[in-house]
Amino acid sequence: MENNQSEKPKRGGKREGAGRKKTTCKTYCFNAPEGTVQILEKVPQKTAFIIAAVEEKAKREGLI
């Protein structure tokens, strides 16, 4: 009987380039009061709007 333990099938395991690509983004969730919800519902690009608002506020506060 021949011993074929050195020849393993090449199935499974990690593949180069597989999986989700890494990003520099981080997700934040928050509970918005009703007034804020009404404003955000009118905005077509909510993410861009929120980012701009946070950056503007940070500039006014001297954080950046």
Side-chain angles (χ1 to χ4, degrees):
M1 206 187 252
E2 227 176 280
N3 190 356
N4 292 334
Q5 289 182 357
S6 63
E7 295 180 26
K8 293 185 178 180
K10 296 189 179 201
R11 297 180 68 179
K14 185 176 179 182
R15 296 181 323 273
E16 188 175 331
R20 189 176 293 200
K21 306 299 181 220
K22 293 187 179 187
T23 66
T24 58
C25 297
K26 186 171 182 179
T27 302
Y28 288 93
C29 297
F30 65 96
N31 294 324
E34 186 61 33
T36 305
V37 170
Q38 291 174 358
I39 294 168
L40 288 175
E41 289 299 319
K42 296 176 185 175
V43 178
Q45 295 180 344
K46 292 168 183 52
T47 301
F49 182 82
I50 293 169
I51 290 170
V54 169
E55 289 175 348
E56 183 180 319
K57 176 72 173 179
K59 286 178 186 174
R60 278 192 264 138
E61 300 278 327
L63 298 173
I64 59 172

